[in-house]
Amino acid sequence: MVVAPGGAAAPGEGGDQARVGEVPPEAAARGVVGTEKAVRWVWDDTGRWYPRLLADGVRVERCLDLRLAHRLLRGAAATAGSRLATTPSGPFDAAGAAEPDRVESLFDVATPQERPDEDALLAEIGAQDEAVADHPRLRLLLVAESAGALAAAEMRHTGLPWDRRVHDEVLAEQLGPRPTGDARPPRMAELAEQVRTELGAPRLNPDSLPDVLRELRRNGLPVTSTSKWELIGLDHPAVAPLLAYKKLSRLHSANGWAWLDRWVPDGRFRPEYVVGGVVTGRWGSSGGGALQLPKSIRRAVRADEGWCLVVADAAQLEPRVLAGLSHDERMAEAGRGRDLYQGMVDAGVVGSRDHAKLGMLGALYGGTTGQSAAVLPRINRAFPLAMAHVETAARAGERGEVVSTLLGRSSPLPGAQWNQVQADALDDEAGASAQSRARAQTRAWGRFTRNFVVQGTAAEWALCWIAEVRRRLWALGEQGDAGRAPEPFARRPHLVYFLHDELVIHAPQELADEVSAQVRDAAAAAGRLLFGDFPVDFPVSLASARSYADAKD
DNA sequence: GCAATAAGCGCG
DNA sequence: AAAGCGCGCTTATTGC
């Protein structure tokens, strides 16, 4: 029995009684944690406790995050009738600790987060246990999500190794030298001037969308917005510099010098991952745009001296997940031991890899137009089970019903406004516009639920993958005393980045091959965990290099 | 003068 | 050529 500081004791695998108590971090650091394999720490919020433990050099092997679990179970169709889901909202419905160490200011309007006391913790454990008693897959989801929370905290703790000098080089190459103050970087200033000249608008601010649109139209260009796709292909000398300006402007504002100073002060980028932050169960992020790092600056992600980055990408994850979900053996076969899209070409489903990809995305997203829709009938014929699966989800959504992922995360119900629009369309007085609005909205929700089951189950696969990788990496480093406080990861390979279907591991150079093998095996293990004996492959593309960009391409 | 919103674009 | 899903972030503009 081990207790979390201010949290609850773990109900051991053997079903011991849970107990609550306090363990000062120093005691934990002396070896309470991580040495007893069977221990699962149970606490209200990983983001609240784990950063402090990590700071004290303590690595936690397993946990149950009651807040994450609570939210999942409250929303899951399978546990809708449980005591947990039907009682009024309590402390576990509060938002997580966004900034665990933040000092609450006197002027905070929001009420301070309500902390569950010991009785509440025990009651919550009991209620959750009761809710999932007959739902082993939900139980798996809870521990997978909790493992994800541990990984997220650890990645923030160690940070993504970032070379400020390389980042500055990339910026200087594209934007010119860093300007002083608020001035536009040289290259942007030149392009702005070109745009003004070509449009005959000497005072135009290219950052003002309405002004740019007005000047484009004044020059006879038939555009309705200033978006890239409307501009591409227009025959006018202002278009090229304008597009170039927008590109640089994006880089400068989103990942320029200001970003670098703010988010990478010390050679490590430490984003906050928001586990389960997306409705589908994907992770979100907060601060620094961690999940939108443009490819052009990934050169700056560089391993320490003597270390490398192992970059792993789950190939065609979502189609493979759909094959597993729907038990579509022909689809699984197309992806066995090869690129799934190429497999579709080989099987004669489509004529080219591009068509395969386009059509598959249309199937997953509910595309109804263009080339994507044109390919759909062929996919429908080749993989009827897969298509039926997403179609069923879409129809359920159109009826306003809930759909669920493989492990049991459920989609939200459409909001009050959705119902209102539907009701309005049924009114005797309803006009054609009200009806078409309702129809469009119906289809939109169907596209959402269609994608939900696939994206959500893919997120579950990824959680299992990351949990398994995390476990194996730790085991890899077990020789010697490398894992002792004060810095558990200083001499071990460790996760540093996660992007939906992609992992980056910072590893000692000599372990690169071993790490790669473990990551690959972990993907296979995740597949078995979700889909059992159903023969669907989850191949991983792997590369190691000093820089993220080099490993990717 | 400040907060909310929209447009646009980066990622999967 | 984007479209069809899910996000976060910045800037300018709109609304109060």
Side-chain angles (χ1 to χ4, degrees), chain A residues 10-325:
Chain A
E13 300 300 286
D16 335 9
Q17 269 307 102
R19 204 161 49 77
V20 172
E22 299 268 346
V23 168
E26 319 82 67
R30 283 196 300 269
V32 177
V33 182
T35 56
E36 299 180 29
K37 299 288 192 215
V39 167
R40 183 185 300 284
W41 284 43
V42 179
W43 47 36
D44 58 333
D45 181 357
T46 306
R48 175 165 178 84
W49 298 110
Y50 199 25
R52 303 177 196 185
L53 289 170
L54 286 166
D56 285 329
V58 178
R59 188 245 186 201
V60 166
E61 175 87 24
R62 303 192 298 173
C63 82
L64 176 63
D65 186 308
L66 293 174
R67 185 181 57 81
L68 288 174
H70 183 90
R71 197 181 51 186
L72 249 159
L73 297 177
R74 294 271 281 190
T79 50
S82 66
R83 189 159 57 92
L84 185 112
T86 51
T87 44
S89 79
F92 291 94
D93 292 289
E99 295 169 63
D101 300 323
R102 192 176 71 105
V103 177
E104 274 157 30
S105 121
L106 279 175
F107 305 106
D108 275 356
V109 181
T111 51
Q113 203 179 129
E114 196 187 336
R115 287 291 157 200
D117 61 20
E118 296 177 357
D119 288 343
L121 283 162
L122 286 174
E124 178 68 17
I125 293 171
Q128 291 193 7
D129 230 37
E130 184 184 307
V132 299
D134 296 323
H135 302 287
R137 291 197 292 205
L138 264 176
R139 199 187 280 275
L140 169 60
L141 180 53
L142 301 190
V143 301
E145 184 128 302
S146 297
L150 294 175
E154 288 164 4
M155 287 192 285
R156 181 172 167 88
H157 174 75
T158 56
L160 182 62
W162 202 283
D163 191 324
R164 288 179 51 96
R165 195 183 48 75
V166 172
H167 190 141
D168 182 66
E169 271 172 29
V170 172
L171 295 178
E173 271 169 25
Q174 302 194 45
L175 299 165
R178 179 176 192 168
T180 53
D182 297 338
R184 281 200 177 96
R187 189 74 191 111
M188 281 175 67
E190 291 164 27
L191 289 164
E193 201 46 49
Q194 275 184 47
V195 170
R196 293 190 194 103
T197 304
E198 298 297 349
L199 288 177
R203 309 188 59 83
L204 174 66
N205 170 14
D207 293 322
S208 170
L209 302 179
D211 291 359
V212 170
L213 181 60
R214 181 163 36 77
E215 292 303 330
L216 288 169
R217 294 180 65 89
R218 199 175 58 78
N219 277 264
L221 295 169
V223 288
T224 60
S225 78
T226 66
S227 69
K228 195 163 61 177
W229 69 266
E230 266 211 80
L231 295 175
I232 287 173
L234 288 180
D235 183 25
H236 191 281
V239 167
L242 180 55
L243 287 172
Y245 178 87
K246 286 158 75 83
K247 181 103 187 146
L248 294 187
S249 172
R250 164 82 194 188
L251 175 66
H252 180 239
S253 64
N255 296 100
W257 291 282
W259 181 94
L260 185 60
D261 289 343
R262 165 130 195 238
W263 295 107
V264 194
D266 59 349
R268 288 287 191 273
F269 175 39
R270 302 171 197 280
E272 187 201 342
Y273 292 101
V274 185
V275 175
V278 177
V279 275
T280 57
R282 273 188 174 183
W283 292 11
S285 72
S286 162
L291 305 184
Q292 300 128 268
L293 293 179
K295 293 184 173 169
S296 63
I297 62 159
R298 293 185 184 182
R299 257 171 63 196
V301 181
R302 274 184 73 82
D304 291 347
E305 196 65 43
W307 289 57
C308 66
L309 296 174
V310 176
V311 178
D313 192 309
Q316 306 97 41
L317 176 59
E318 292 194 350
R320 292 172 190 279
V321 161
L322 176 56
L325 268 178

Side-chain angles (χ1 to χ4, degrees), chain A residues 323-324 326-336 382-383 385-386 534-535:
Chain A
S326 59
H327 281 194
D328 192 315
E329 301 205 10
R330 286 189 61 196
M331 190 167 169
E333 167 59 30
R336 191 157 311 131
F383 309 135
L385 292 179
F534 184 77

